[in-house]
Amino acid sequence: MLLAIDCGNTNTVFSIWDGASFIATWRTATEHHRTADQYYVWLSTLMEFQRIDAKITDVIISSTVPRVVWNLRVLADRYFATRPIVVGKPDCELPIETRVDAGTAVGPDRLVNTVAGYDKFGGDLVIVDFGTATTFDVVAKDGAYEGGVIAPGVNLSLEALHQAAAALPHVDISRPAQVVGTNTVACMQSGVFWGYVGLVREICERIKDERGRDMKVIATGGLAPLFQAAVPLFDAFDEFLTMHGLTVIYDHNKARAHAE
């Protein structure tokens, strides 16, 4: 079975893929000092608790935090006796082209989302990922990655308000009862919530205008449904888009290896 690992700046997701579906998914905080042994104790305990008897034979990793990749590699080698596929490394081939400026390094998560979006929805896409940063990735008609937009993430914006302004409290994102707040928390929530609705809608519309064609907007990340409930912004939402992309890349590289 395949262990797919998506390591982001805030959280790391581990999913076990049996070839047809994900039989388990877990999330943990991303910590660069966590050792391979600690990862294994955590993972094996969860598998035992949920009575998952799965023999992991392969591992694929996508990480936006380079410092954690080494320990994840050791995890794969020491405990699963396999060399992991690492998205972004020269020996990991993508089933899509990347059309960006020469020398530009594209985040592995954005490439994985592009692969997944094209596989599930076809081309001409804007993929909006609500993570630590809010990213917009443009997928061409033939599935190629053509660039995108990076904006501060929703929770990052709220945290910045709290840290930079001494009088402003820490608040959670939620849809306010009305646009005009009558207390500090409501004012902050309204500014961030409706500000991001406007940000997402405007950027997507400008991308479509610039491309001169209609494009599907696909969302991923846990906050997407919150915004979609207020204003129709997305044509589809897929919570596990990145994990699906990892399975597609894994299959592509395994098929290539067998062909060789």
Side-chain angles (χ1 to χ4, degrees):
M1 291 190 184
L2 172 68
L3 176 63
I5 305 173
D6 172 33
C7 178
N9 290 293
T10 304
N11 293 312
T12 300
V13 179
F14 291 72
S15 290
I16 298 178
W17 174 257
D18 67 1
S21 62
F22 290 109
I23 63 173
T25 296
W26 303 284
R27 185 181 301 268
T28 185
T30 298
E31 297 176 357
H32 68 268
H33 57 269
R34 184 172 294 177
T35 67
D37 300 328
Q38 289 174 313
Y39 277 121
Y40 181 73
V41 169
W42 172 81
L43 186 62
S44 60
T45 300
L46 287 171
M47 291 176 66
E48 182 179 354
F49 178 75
Q50 293 185 221
R51 298 181 180 178
I52 296 173
D53 184 18
K55 180 175 175 55
I56 294 171
T57 57
D58 296 278
V59 177
I60 185 168
I61 302 166
S62 169
S63 177
T64 58
V65 187
R67 294 176 69 183
V68 306
V69 173
W70 168 254
N71 282 319
L72 293 174
R73 281 182 175 272
V74 174
L75 169 71
D77 177 64
R78 180 178 297 167
Y79 291 103
F80 305 122
T82 186
R83 179 181 179 182
I85 297 171
V86 181
V87 179
K89 297 300 182 182
D91 58 348
C92 176
E93 183 179 280
L94 299 177
I96 60 164
E97 289 186 44
T98 303
R99 297 174 187 150
V100 295
D101 295 342
T104 299
V106 181
D109 56 329
R110 306 180 75 182
L111 296 174
V112 174
N113 282 348
T114 298
V115 170
Y118 183 63
D119 184 70
K120 297 194 77 171
F121 303 101
D124 281 339
L125 305 177
V126 180
I127 299 175
V128 185
D129 189 349
F130 290 88
T132 304
T134 300
T135 59
F136 301 75
D137 296 313
V138 177
V139 183
K141 185 175 182 179
D142 63 355
Y145 175 81
E146 293 192 321
V149 177
I150 302 175
V154 178
N155 289 318
L156 191 63
S157 296
L158 282 169
E159 188 63 28
L161 274 175
H162 169 61
Q163 291 183 359
L168 297 181
H170 176 80
V171 300
D172 294 323
I173 183 66
S174 65
R175 180 181 179 179
Q178 55 192 30
V179 176
V180 179
T182 54
N183 58 68
T184 302
V185 170
C187 289
M188 293 173 65
Q189 288 176 331
S190 182
V192 171
F193 182 87
W194 292 111
Y196 269 86
V197 167
L199 180 146
V200 171
R201 182 163 49 195
E202 182 69 12
I203 288 179
C204 289
E205 287 304 315
R206 286 186 175 272
I207 290 173
K208 294 176 186 178
D209 289 344
E210 189 171 274
R211 297 295 170 183
R213 60 184 184 272
D214 191 32
M215 306 176 76
K216 291 181 181 177
V217 179
I218 311 300
T220 189
L223 289 175
L226 175 65
F227 292 101
Q228 181 75 347
V231 179
L233 295 171
F234 315 117
D235 295 295
F237 166 69
D238 190 332
E239 181 181 2
F240 300 107
L241 189 69
T242 307
M243 306 313 291
H244 176 73
L246 286 173
T247 67
V248 175
I249 294 171
Y250 167 79
D251 288 341
H252 177 77
N253 281 270
K254 282 297 179 180
R256 184 191 62 163
H258 289 154
E260 294 174 351

